[in-house]
Coordinates of all heavy atoms in Angstrom, one line a residue:
G28 N -1.4 25.7 29.9 CA -1.0 25.2 28.6 C -1.0 23.7 28.5 O -1.3 23.0 29.5
Y29 N -0.7 23.2 27.4 CA -0.7 21.7 27.1 C 0.5 21.1 27.8 O 1.6 21.6 27.6 CB -0.7 21.5 25.6 CG -0.7 20.0 25.2 CD1 -1.8 19.2 25.4 CD2 0.4 19.4 24.7 CE1 -1.8 17.9 25.1 CE2 0.4 18.1 24.3 CZ -0.7 17.3 24.6 OH -0.7 16.0 24.2
A30 N 0.3 20.0 28.5 CA 1.4 19.4 29.2 C 1.8 18.0 28.7 O 2.8 17.5 29.1 CB 1.0 19.2 30.7
G31 N 1.1 17.5 27.7 CA 1.4 16.2 27.2 C 2.5 16.2 26.1 O 3.1 17.3 25.8
K32 N 2.8 15.0 25.5 CA 3.8 15.0 24.5 C 3.1 15.4 23.1 O 2.0 15.2 22.9 CB 4.3 13.5 24.3 CG 5.3 13.2 25.4 CD 6.0 12.0 25.1 CE 7.1 11.8 26.1 NZ 7.3 10.5 26.5
L33 N 4.0 16.0 22.3 CA 3.5 16.4 21.0 C 4.4 15.7 20.0 O 5.6 15.9 19.9 CB 3.8 17.9 20.9 CG 2.6 18.8 20.6 CD1 2.8 20.1 21.2 CD2 2.4 18.9 19.1
Y34 N 3.8 14.8 19.2 CA 4.5 14.1 18.2 C 4.4 14.8 16.9 O 3.3 15.0 16.4 CB 4.0 12.6 18.1 CG 4.3 11.8 19.3 CD1 3.4 11.7 20.4 CD2 5.5 11.1 19.4 CE1 3.6 11.0 21.5 CE2 5.7 10.4 20.6 CZ 4.8 10.3 21.6 OH 5.1 9.6 22.7
L35 N 5.5 15.1 16.3 CA 5.5 15.7 14.9 C 6.1 14.7 14.0 O 7.3 14.3 14.1 CB 6.4 17.0 15.0 CG 5.9 18.1 15.9 CD1 6.9 19.3 15.8 CD2 4.5 18.6 15.5
E36 N 5.4 14.4 13.0 CA 5.9 13.4 12.0 C 6.2 14.2 10.7 O 5.4 14.9 10.1 CB 4.9 12.3 11.7 CG 5.5 11.3 10.7 CD 4.6 10.1 10.4 OE1 3.6 9.9 11.2 OE2 4.8 9.4 9.5
L37 N 7.5 14.0 10.2 CA 7.9 14.6 9.0 C 7.7 13.6 7.9 O 8.1 12.4 8.0 CB 9.4 15.0 9.0 CG 9.7 16.0 10.1 CD1 11.2 16.3 10.0 CD2 8.9 17.3 9.9
K38 N 7.0 14.0 6.8 CA 6.8 13.1 5.7 C 7.4 13.7 4.4 O 7.2 14.9 4.2 CB 5.3 12.9 5.5 CG 4.7 12.1 6.6 CD 3.2 11.8 6.3 CE 2.7 11.0 7.5 NZ 1.6 10.1 7.2
F39 N 8.0 12.9 3.6 CA 8.7 13.4 2.5 C 8.3 12.6 1.2 O 8.2 11.4 1.3 CB 10.2 13.3 2.6 CG 10.8 14.0 3.8 CD1 10.9 13.4 5.0 CD2 11.1 15.4 3.6 CE1 11.3 14.1 6.1 CE2 11.6 16.1 4.7 CZ 11.7 15.5 6.0
E40 N 8.1 13.3 0.1 CA 7.8 12.7 -1.1 C 9.1 12.5 -1.9 O 9.2 11.7 -2.8 CB 6.8 13.4 -1.9 CG 5.4 13.4 -1.3 CD 4.3 14.0 -2.1 OE1 4.6 14.3 -3.3 OE2 3.2 14.3 -1.6
M41 N 10.1 13.4 -1.7 CA 11.3 13.3 -2.4 C 12.4 14.0 -1.6 O 12.2 14.7 -0.6 CB 11.2 13.9 -3.8 CG 10.8 15.4 -3.8 SD 10.6 16.1 -5.4 CE 9.4 15.1 -6.1
E42 N 13.6 13.8 -2.0 CA 14.8 14.5 -1.5 C 14.8 15.9 -2.0 O 14.2 16.2 -3.1 CB 16.1 13.8 -1.8 CG 16.1 12.3 -1.3 CD 16.5 12.2 0.1 OE1 17.1 13.1 0.7 OE2 16.1 11.2 0.7
P43 N 15.5 16.8 -1.5 CA 16.2 16.8 -0.2 C 15.3 17.0 1.0 O 14.3 17.7 0.9 CB 17.3 17.9 -0.3 CG 16.6 18.9 -1.2 CD 15.7 18.1 -2.1
V44 N 15.7 16.5 2.1 CA 14.9 16.6 3.3 C 15.3 17.9 4.1 O 14.6 18.4 5.0 CB 15.0 15.4 4.2 CG1 14.5 14.1 3.5 CG2 16.4 15.2 4.8
A45 N 16.5 18.4 3.9 CA 17.1 19.5 4.7 C 16.2 20.7 4.8 O 16.0 21.3 5.9 CB 18.4 19.9 4.2
P46 N 15.6 21.2 3.7 CA 14.7 22.4 3.8 C 13.5 22.2 4.8 O 13.3 23.1 5.5 CB 14.2 22.6 2.3 CG 15.3 22.0 1.5 CD 15.7 20.8 2.3
L47 N 12.9 21.1 4.7 CA 11.7 20.9 5.6 C 12.2 20.7 7.1 O 11.7 21.3 8.0 CB 10.9 19.7 5.2 CG 9.7 19.4 6.1 CD1 8.8 20.5 6.2 CD2 9.0 18.1 5.7
V48 N 13.3 20.0 7.3 CA 13.9 19.8 8.6 C 14.2 21.2 9.2 O 13.9 21.5 10.3 CB 15.1 18.9 8.6 CG1 15.8 18.9 9.9 CG2 14.7 17.5 8.2
E49 N 14.9 22.1 8.4 CA 15.3 23.4 8.8 C 14.0 24.2 9.2 O 14.0 24.9 10.2 CB 16.1 24.1 7.7 CG 17.5 23.6 7.5 CD 18.4 24.0 8.7 OE1 18.2 25.0 9.4 OE2 19.3 23.2 9.0
A50 N 13.0 24.2 8.4 CA 11.8 25.0 8.6 C 11.1 24.5 9.9 O 10.7 25.4 10.7 CB 10.9 24.9 7.4
V51 N 11.0 23.2 10.1 CA 10.4 22.7 11.3 C 11.2 23.1 12.5 O 10.6 23.5 13.6 CB 10.2 21.2 11.2 CG1 9.8 20.6 12.5 CG2 9.1 20.9 10.1
L52 N 12.5 22.9 12.5 CA 13.3 23.3 13.6 C 13.2 24.8 14.0 O 13.2 25.1 15.1 CB 14.8 22.9 13.4 CG 15.1 21.4 13.3 CD1 16.6 21.2 13.0 CD2 14.7 20.7 14.6
K53 N 13.1 25.6 13.0 CA 12.9 27.1 13.2 C 11.6 27.3 14.0 O 11.6 28.1 14.9 CB 12.9 27.9 11.9 CG 14.3 28.1 11.4 CD 14.2 29.0 10.1 CE 15.6 29.1 9.5 NZ 15.5 29.8 8.2
E54 N 10.5 26.6 13.6 CA 9.3 26.8 14.3 C 9.3 26.2 15.7 O 8.8 26.8 16.6 CB 8.1 26.1 13.5 CG 7.9 26.7 12.1 CD 7.5 28.2 12.3 OE1 6.7 28.6 13.1 OE2 8.1 29.0 11.5
I55 N 10.0 25.1 15.9 CA 10.1 24.5 17.2 C 10.9 25.5 18.1 O 10.5 25.6 19.3 CB 10.8 23.1 17.1 CG1 9.9 22.1 16.5 CG2 11.3 22.7 18.5 CD1 10.6 20.8 16.2
H56 N 11.9 26.1 17.6 CA 12.7 27.0 18.3 C 11.9 28.2 18.9 O 12.2 28.7 19.9 CB 13.9 27.5 17.5 CG 14.8 28.4 18.2 ND1 15.7 27.9 19.1 CD2 15.0 29.8 18.2 CE1 16.4 28.9 19.6 NE2 16.0 30.1 19.1
K57 N 10.8 28.6 18.2 CA 10.0 29.7 18.5 C 9.1 29.4 19.7 O 8.5 30.3 20.3 CB 9.2 30.2 17.4 CG 9.9 30.7 16.2 CD 9.0 31.1 15.1 CE 9.7 31.5 13.8 NZ 8.7 31.8 12.7
T58 N 8.9 28.1 20.0 CA 7.9 27.7 21.0 C 8.6 27.3 22.4 O 9.8 27.2 22.4 CB 7.1 26.4 20.6 OG1 8.0 25.3 20.7 CG2 6.6 26.6 19.2
S59 N 7.8 27.2 23.4 CA 8.3 26.8 24.7 C 8.0 25.3 24.9 O 8.1 24.7 26.0 CB 7.6 27.6 25.8 OG 6.2 27.4 25.7
L60 N 7.6 24.6 23.8 CA 7.2 23.2 23.9 C 8.3 22.2 23.6 O 8.0 21.0 23.6 CB 6.0 23.0 22.9 CG 4.8 23.8 23.1 CD1 3.8 23.6 21.9 CD2 4.1 23.4 24.4
L61 N 9.5 22.7 23.4 CA 10.6 21.7 23.1 C 10.7 20.5 24.0 O 10.8 19.4 23.4 CB 11.9 22.5 23.1 CG 13.2 21.6 22.8 CD1 13.1 21.0 21.3 CD2 14.4 22.4 22.9
P62 N 10.5 20.6 25.3 CA 10.6 19.4 26.1 C 9.5 18.4 25.9 O 9.7 17.2 26.2 CB 10.5 20.0 27.5 CG 10.9 21.4 27.4 CD 10.4 21.9 26.1
Q63 N 8.4 18.8 25.2 CA 7.3 17.9 25.0 C 7.3 17.4 23.6 O 6.6 16.4 23.3 CB 6.0 18.7 25.2 CG 5.8 19.2 26.6 CD 4.8 20.3 26.7 OE1 5.1 21.4 26.9 NE2 3.5 19.9 26.5
I64 N 8.1 17.9 22.7 CA 8.1 17.5 21.3 C 9.0 16.2 21.0 O 10.1 16.1 21.5 CB 8.6 18.6 20.4 CG1 7.5 19.8 20.5 CG2 8.7 18.2 19.0 CD1 8.0 21.1 19.8
V65 N 8.4 15.3 20.2 CA 9.1 14.2 19.7 C 9.0 14.3 18.2 O 7.9 14.2 17.7 CB 8.6 12.8 20.2 CG1 9.3 11.7 19.6 CG2 8.6 12.8 21.7
L66 N 10.1 14.5 17.5 CA 10.1 14.6 16.0 C 10.3 13.2 15.5 O 11.3 12.5 15.9 CB 11.2 15.5 15.6 CG 11.2 15.9 14.1 CD1 10.0 16.8 13.8 CD2 12.5 16.5 13.7
K67 N 9.4 12.7 14.6 CA 9.6 11.3 14.1 C 9.4 11.3 12.6 O 8.8 12.2 12.0 CB 8.6 10.4 14.8 CG 7.1 10.8 14.5 CD 6.2 9.9 15.3 CE 4.7 10.2 15.0 NZ 3.8 9.2 15.5
S68 N 10.0 10.3 12.0 CA 9.9 10.2 10.5 C 10.4 8.8 10.1 O 11.2 8.2 10.7 CB 10.8 11.2 9.8 OG 10.6 11.2 8.4
F69 N 9.9 8.4 8.9 CA 10.4 7.2 8.2 C 11.7 7.5 7.5 O 12.5 6.6 7.2 CB 9.4 6.6 7.2 CG 8.2 5.9 7.8 CD1 7.0 6.6 8.0 CD2 8.3 4.6 8.2 CE1 5.9 5.9 8.6 CE2 7.3 3.9 8.8 CZ 6.1 4.6 9.0
A70 N 11.9 8.8 7.2 CA 13.1 9.3 6.6 C 14.2 9.4 7.6 O 14.3 10.4 8.3 CB 12.9 10.6 5.9
L71 N 15.0 8.3 7.7 CA 16.0 8.3 8.8 C 17.0 9.4 8.6 O 17.5 9.9 9.6 CB 16.7 6.9 8.8 CG 15.8 5.7 8.9 CD1 16.6 4.4 9.0 CD2 14.9 5.9 10.2
N72 N 17.3 9.9 7.4 CA 18.2 11.0 7.2 C 17.7 12.3 7.8 O 18.4 13.1 8.3 CB 18.7 11.1 5.8 CG 17.5 11.2 4.8 OD1 16.4 10.9 5.1 ND2 17.8 11.7 3.6
A73 N 16.4 12.4 7.8 CA 15.7 13.6 8.4 C 15.8 13.6 9.9 O 16.1 14.6 10.5 CB 14.3 13.7 8.0
V74 N 15.6 12.4 10.5 CA 15.8 12.2 11.9 C 17.2 12.6 12.4 O 17.4 13.3 13.3 CB 15.4 10.8 12.4 CG1 15.6 10.6 13.9 CG2 13.9 10.5 12.1
L75 N 18.1 12.0 11.6 CA 19.6 12.3 11.9 C 19.9 13.8 11.8 O 20.6 14.3 12.6 CB 20.4 11.4 11.0 CG 21.9 11.5 11.2 CD1 22.3 11.1 12.6 CD2 22.7 10.7 10.2
A76 N 19.4 14.4 10.7 CA 19.7 15.8 10.5 C 19.1 16.7 11.6 O 19.8 17.6 12.1 CB 19.1 16.3 9.2
A77 N 17.9 16.4 12.1 CA 17.3 17.1 13.1 C 18.1 16.9 14.4 O 18.3 17.8 15.2 CB 15.8 16.6 13.3
R78 N 18.5 15.7 14.7 CA 19.2 15.4 15.9 C 20.6 16.1 15.9 O 21.0 16.6 17.0 CB 19.4 13.8 16.0 CG 20.3 13.4 17.1 CD 19.7 13.6 18.4 NE 18.9 12.4 18.7 CZ 18.4 12.2 19.9 NH1 18.5 13.1 20.9 NH2 17.6 11.2 20.2
R79 N 21.2 16.2 14.8 CA 22.5 16.8 14.7 C 22.4 18.3 14.9 O 23.2 19.0 15.6 CB 23.2 16.6 13.4 CG 23.8 15.2 13.3 CD 24.5 15.0 12.0 NE 25.1 13.7 11.9 CZ 25.5 13.0 10.8 NH1 25.2 13.6 9.7 NH2 26.0 11.9 10.9
K80 N 21.3 18.9 14.4 CA 21.2 20.4 14.5 C 20.6 20.8 15.8 O 20.8 21.9 16.3 CB 20.3 20.9 13.4 CG 20.9 20.8 12.0 CD 20.2 21.6 11.0 CE 20.9 21.5 9.7 NZ 22.1 22.3 9.6
K81 N 19.8 19.9 16.5 CA 19.2 20.3 17.7 C 19.2 19.0 18.6 O 18.2 18.3 18.8 CB 17.8 20.7 17.5 CG 17.2 21.5 18.6 CD 16.1 22.4 18.1 CE 15.7 23.5 19.1 NZ 16.7 24.5 19.3
P82 N 20.4 18.7 19.2 CA 20.6 17.5 20.0 C 19.6 17.3 21.2 O 19.3 16.2 21.6 CB 22.0 17.6 20.5 CG 22.7 18.7 19.8 CD 21.6 19.6 19.2
E83 N 19.1 18.5 21.7 CA 18.2 18.4 22.8 C 16.8 17.9 22.4 O 15.9 17.6 23.3 CB 18.1 19.7 23.6 CG 17.6 20.9 22.8 CD 18.6 21.6 21.9 OE1 19.6 21.0 21.5 OE2 18.3 22.8 21.6
L84 N 16.5 17.9 21.1 CA 15.2 17.5 20.6 C 15.1 16.0 20.6 O 15.9 15.3 20.2 CB 15.0 18.0 19.2 CG 13.7 17.6 18.4 CD1 12.5 18.2 19.1 CD2 13.8 18.1 17.0
R85 N 14.0 15.5 21.2 CA 13.7 14.1 21.2 C 13.3 13.7 19.8 O 12.5 14.4 19.2 CB 12.7 13.7 22.2 CG 13.3 13.7 23.6 CD 12.3 13.1 24.6 NE 11.6 14.3 25.1 CZ 10.5 14.2 25.9 NH1 10.0 13.1 26.2 NH2 10.0 15.3 26.3
T86 N 13.8 12.6 19.3 CA 13.5 12.1 18.0 C 13.1 10.6 18.0 O 13.5 9.9 19.0 CB 14.7 12.3 17.0 OG1 15.8 11.6 17.5 CG2 15.0 13.7 16.8
A87 N 12.5 10.2 17.0 CA 12.1 8.8 16.8 C 12.1 8.4 15.4 O 11.6 9.1 14.5 CB 10.7 8.5 17.4
A88 N 12.8 7.2 15.1 CA 12.9 6.7 13.8 C 11.7 5.7 13.6 O 11.4 4.9 14.5 CB 14.2 5.9 13.6
L89 N 11.0 5.9 12.5 CA 9.8 5.0 12.2 C 10.3 3.9 11.2 O 11.1 4.2 10.3 CB 8.7 5.8 11.7 CG 8.2 6.9 12.6 CD1 7.0 7.7 11.9 CD2 7.6 6.3 13.9
F90 N 9.7 2.7 11.3 CA 10.0 1.7 10.4 C 8.7 1.0 10.0 O 7.7 0.9 10.8 CB 10.9 0.6 11.1 CG 12.2 1.1 11.5 CD1 12.4 1.6 12.7 CD2 13.3 1.1 10.6 CE1 13.7 2.1 13.1 CE2 14.5 1.6 10.9 CZ 14.7 2.1 12.2
A91 N 8.6 0.5 8.7 CA 7.5 -0.1 8.2 C 7.2 -1.4 9.0 O 8.2 -2.0 9.5 CB 7.6 -0.4 6.7
P92 N 6.0 -1.9 9.1 CA 5.7 -3.1 9.9 C 6.5 -4.3 9.4 O 6.8 -5.2 10.2 CB 4.2 -3.3 9.7 CG 3.7 -2.0 9.4 CD 4.8 -1.3 8.6
K93 N 6.9 -4.4 8.1 CA 7.6 -5.5 7.6 C 8.9 -5.7 8.2 O 9.5 -6.8 8.2 CB 7.7 -5.5 6.1 CG 8.5 -4.3 5.5 CD 8.5 -4.3 4.0 CE 9.2 -3.0 3.6 NZ 9.1 -2.9 2.1
I94 N 9.5 -4.7 8.8 CA 10.8 -4.8 9.5 C 10.7 -5.8 10.7 O 11.6 -6.5 11.0 CB 11.4 -3.4 9.9 CG1 12.8 -3.5 10.4 CG2 10.6 -2.9 11.1 CD1 13.8 -3.6 9.3
L95 N 9.5 -5.8 11.3 CA 9.3 -6.7 12.5 C 9.5 -8.2 12.0 O 10.1 -9.0 12.8 CB 8.0 -6.5 13.1 CG 7.8 -5.1 13.8 CD1 6.4 -4.9 14.3 CD2 8.8 -4.9 14.9
S96 N 8.9 -8.5 10.9 CA 9.0 -9.9 10.5 C 10.5 -10.2 10.1 O 11.0 -11.3 10.3 CB 8.1 -10.2 9.3 OG 8.4 -9.4 8.2
Y97 N 11.2 -9.3 9.5 CA 12.6 -9.4 9.2 C 13.4 -9.6 10.4 O 14.2 -10.5 10.5 CB 13.1 -8.2 8.4 CG 14.6 -8.2 8.2 CD1 15.2 -9.1 7.3 CD2 15.4 -7.4 8.9 CE1 16.6 -9.1 7.1 CE2 16.8 -7.4 8.8 CZ 17.3 -8.3 7.8 OH 18.7 -8.3 7.7
L98 N 13.2 -8.8 11.4 CA 14.0 -8.9 12.7 C 13.7 -10.1 13.4 O 14.6 -10.8 14.0 CB 13.7 -7.7 13.5 CG 14.2 -6.3 13.0 CD1 13.8 -5.2 13.9 CD2 15.7 -6.4 12.8
S99 N 12.4 -10.6 13.5 CA 12.1 -11.8 14.2 C 12.7 -13.0 13.5 O 13.1 -13.9 14.1 CB 10.6 -11.9 14.4 OG 9.9 -12.1 13.1
G100 N 12.7 -12.9 12.2 CA 13.3 -14.0 11.4 C 14.8 -14.1 11.7 O 15.4 -15.2 11.8
R101 N 15.5 -13.0 11.8 CA 16.9 -13.0 12.1 C 17.1 -13.5 13.5 O 18.1 -14.3 13.7 CB 17.5 -11.5 12.0 CG 17.7 -11.1 10.6 CD 18.5 -9.8 10.5 NE 19.8 -10.1 11.1 CZ 20.7 -9.2 11.1 NH1 20.6 -8.0 10.7 NH2 21.9 -9.5 11.7
Q102 N 16.3 -13.1 14.4 CA 16.4 -13.6 15.8 C 16.3 -15.1 15.9 O 17.0 -15.8 16.6 CB 15.4 -13.0 16.7 CG 15.5 -13.3 18.2 CD 16.9 -12.9 18.8 OE1 17.4 -11.9 18.4 NE2 17.3 -13.7 19.7
M103 N 15.3 -15.7 15.1 CA 15.2 -17.1 15.1 C 16.4 -17.8 14.5 O 16.8 -18.8 15.0 CB 13.9 -17.5 14.3 CG 12.6 -17.2 15.0 SD 11.1 -17.6 14.1 CE 11.6 -18.9 12.9
L104 N 17.0 -17.2 13.5 CA 18.2 -17.8 12.9 C 19.4 -17.8 13.9 O 20.1 -18.8 14.1 CB 18.7 -17.0 11.7 CG 17.8 -17.2 10.4 CD1 18.3 -16.3 9.3 CD2 17.9 -18.7 10.0
V105 N 19.5 -16.7 14.7 CA 20.5 -16.6 15.7 C 20.3 -17.7 16.8 O 21.3 -18.4 17.2 CB 20.6 -15.2 16.3 CG1 21.5 -15.1 17.5 CG2 21.0 -14.2 15.2
E106 N 19.1 -17.8 17.2 CA 18.8 -18.8 18.3 C 19.0 -20.2 17.8 O 19.5 -21.0 18.5 CB 17.4 -18.6 18.8 CG 17.2 -17.3 19.6 CD 15.8 -17.1 20.1 OE1 15.0 -18.0 20.0 OE2 15.5 -16.0 20.5
R107 N 18.7 -20.5 16.5 CA 18.9 -21.8 16.0 C 20.4 -22.1 15.8 O 20.8 -23.3 16.0 CB 18.2 -21.9 14.6 CG 16.7 -22.0 14.7 CD 16.1 -22.1 13.4 NE 15.6 -23.4 13.2 CZ 15.0 -23.8 12.1 NH1 14.9 -23.0 11.1 NH2 14.5 -25.0 12.0
A108 N 21.2 -21.1 15.5 CA 22.6 -21.3 15.4 C 23.3 -21.6 16.7 O 24.3 -22.2 16.7 CB 23.2 -20.0 14.7
R109 N 22.7 -21.2 17.8 CA 23.3 -21.4 19.1 C 23.1 -22.9 19.4 O 23.7 -23.6 20.0 CB 22.7 -20.6 20.2 CG 23.0 -19.1 20.0 CD 22.4 -18.3 21.1 NE 22.7 -16.9 20.9 CZ 22.1 -16.0 21.5 NH1 21.2 -16.2 22.4 NH2 22.5 -14.7 21.3

């Protein structure tokens, strides 16, 4: 069988996220691939819901590239303030 990581990205056009999260978790539960799966999404509430319902599932929160410029700007401000 496949031994690598399996990244599953949840994408949402609208709320609520719970029905899709539930459906995906049911399918994950049916497989023996749980140790290899990383569930990821830009919808942070979906990542949190999945983590709460299945704590052993690895999850990843995705952020838009613009967050990097925001975070680096904040870091520069902190360093300048010191």
